[in-house]
Amino acid sequence: MLHCRAMPQLIESILDQVRPTTLLDIGITALLIYWLFSLIRGTRAVRLVIGVTVLFLVYAIAQELDLRLLTRIMETGAVVGLFALVVVFQPELRRALERIGRFGSMAWLFAGSDNRAVDRVASIVSGAASILSREGHGALIVLERETGLEEIAETGVMIHAELSVDLLRTIFFPRTALHDGAVIVRGDQVLAAGALLPLAEMTVHTERYGTRHRAALGITEQTDAVVVVVSEENGQISLVERARIVRNLGEAQLTRAIVTLLSNTNGGGPLGRRSTRPPDETMSSAEQSPT
């Protein structure tokens, strides 16, 4: 009986200590932890986090068992380990700061661009990709959005030319000087050609993709760019955004997907605002065949 009477009092005392600020604190902390895990999901950082967790557990056990020598060694190593973690997690830290800066710029609150410019860019890119696919020529076309790609563009040859189907076909024609690199498109201009993209940090299925697809995954891991890839082996057209690949796209499907990602209502960047995914019909395309 005493136990039954004490339970309501215990619950009441706990509720008295819960304040709106406490709930807000718990909610923000939970969202932060979820965001951090979503940031490293599928990357090599997952195993590194597990390794750090194991070392922390070993340190806790050493303290509990009063293993002084092991505890002192691990405490000394932790000082160096803090600087080592910054180096080891450098790609994830850059990605996190880039996402925070993208949100903090508040550009997503304002109207973007002319829909006609978006339609024109989508039509040109999809038309060029379709022709290159039929001709059996590989291609890697990066569409810049809110995250600037000037640093990536400088690894290639700066062009600053008007975007056109003929220009893209010429750049990716086999045995030309620039056909192996990526084309960087800013607005309705070709910013650079022959650019070098970072390869994917993702550990999941990267071995199944060729160099172009791994480069497309790499740049979309680090930025909000949209990448169109044409496979040289089988002519397959793929769209990559946020490190996700949609494959086997036709010209019409690719056009609609690009418009959706770059449009005022859904996209992001010089041509429009950001979207979470291409149209539903394109997501049903096969994504499993290797390049």
Side-chain angles (χ1 to χ4, degrees):
M1 292 295 293
L2 293 175
H3 177 71
C4 294
R5 292 177 182 177
M7 284 299 294
Q9 296 178 354
L10 177 62
I11 295 174
E12 184 177 354
S13 64
I14 294 175
L15 293 177
D16 288 340
Q17 297 177 10
V18 176
R19 299 179 180 179
T21 54
T22 305
L23 297 177
L24 180 63
D25 188 17
I26 295 173
I28 293 176
T29 304
L31 287 174
L32 179 61
I33 294 173
Y34 173 79
W35 179 73
L36 290 174
F37 275 102
S38 66
L39 189 69
I40 66 173
R41 183 181 58 186
T43 69
R44 290 176 291 185
V46 174
R47 294 182 182 179
L48 297 176
V49 169
I50 294 174
V52 172
T53 304
V54 171
L55 289 177
F56 180 79
L57 291 176
V58 171
Y59 174 72
I61 294 172
Q63 277 197 321
E64 183 69 22
L65 299 178
D66 196 24
L67 305 178
R68 298 182 181 181
L69 178 60
L70 181 59
T71 301
R72 182 63 60 86
I73 292 174
M74 297 195 71
E75 287 177 348
T76 305
V79 177
V80 180
L82 290 176
F83 295 97
L85 287 177
V86 175
V87 177
V88 170
F89 289 99
Q90 188 249 3
E92 286 72 27
L93 290 173
R94 288 187 60 182
R95 194 178 309 131
L97 293 175
E98 189 272 333
R99 290 185 182 181
I100 294 172
R102 190 190 311 163
F103 180 81
S105 66
M106 308 300 267
W108 52 276
L109 290 175
F110 304 101
S113 60
D114 187 357
N115 287 335
R116 289 175 297 180
V118 173
D119 293 339
R120 178 176 177 274
V121 170
S123 177
I124 291 173
V125 172
S126 58
S130 179
I131 294 173
L132 290 167
S133 174
R134 290 196 300 269
E135 294 176 344
H137 301 163
L140 187 58
I141 305 171
V142 182
L143 305 178
E144 183 186 69
R145 295 203 284 182
E146 189 171 328
T147 303
L149 301 178
E150 191 75 25
E151 183 179 351
I152 299 295
E154 289 176 353
T155 63
V157 177
M158 305 301 289
I159 294 180
H160 297 287
E162 183 178 354
L163 180 67
S164 69
V165 173
D166 291 336
L167 178 58
L168 293 176
R169 290 182 62 192
T170 301
I171 291 174
F172 290 112
F173 191 82
R175 292 181 295 278
T176 57
L178 303 176
H179 83 283
D180 275 338
V183 162
I184 310 296
V185 176
R186 172 179 290 170
D188 59 355
Q189 300 282 315
V190 175
L191 178 62
L196 302 178
L197 304 183
L199 295 182
E201 292 286 342
M202 302 287 286
T203 58
V204 181
H205 303 315
T206 52
E207 68 278 0
R208 295 168 47 236
Y209 300 122
T211 304
R212 284 192 177 92
H213 288 82
R214 291 183 62 199
L217 287 169
I219 192 65
T220 55
E221 280 178 6
Q222 299 182 16
T223 71
D224 62 348
V226 177
V227 184
V228 176
V229 185
V230 180
S231 173
E232 192 169 358
E233 286 94 6
N234 54 29
Q236 187 178 92
I237 300 175
S238 304
L239 183 69
V240 187
E241 193 255 353
R242 292 187 179 181
R244 297 178 301 179
I245 297 181
V246 183
R247 312 186 72 167
N248 293 328
L249 294 178
E251 182 176 349
Q253 290 178 313
L254 181 61
T255 301
R256 288 194 293 269
I258 293 175
V259 168
T260 300
L261 291 170
L262 302 183
S263 64
N264 287 333
T265 55
N266 298 314
L271 289 174
R273 319 189 77 61
R274 186 166 61 257
S275 166
T276 57
R277 59 163 52 192
D280 293 338
E281 63 210 75
T282 65
M283 296 301 294
S284 62
S285 302
E287 301 185 27
Q288 303 302 325
S289 58
T291 303

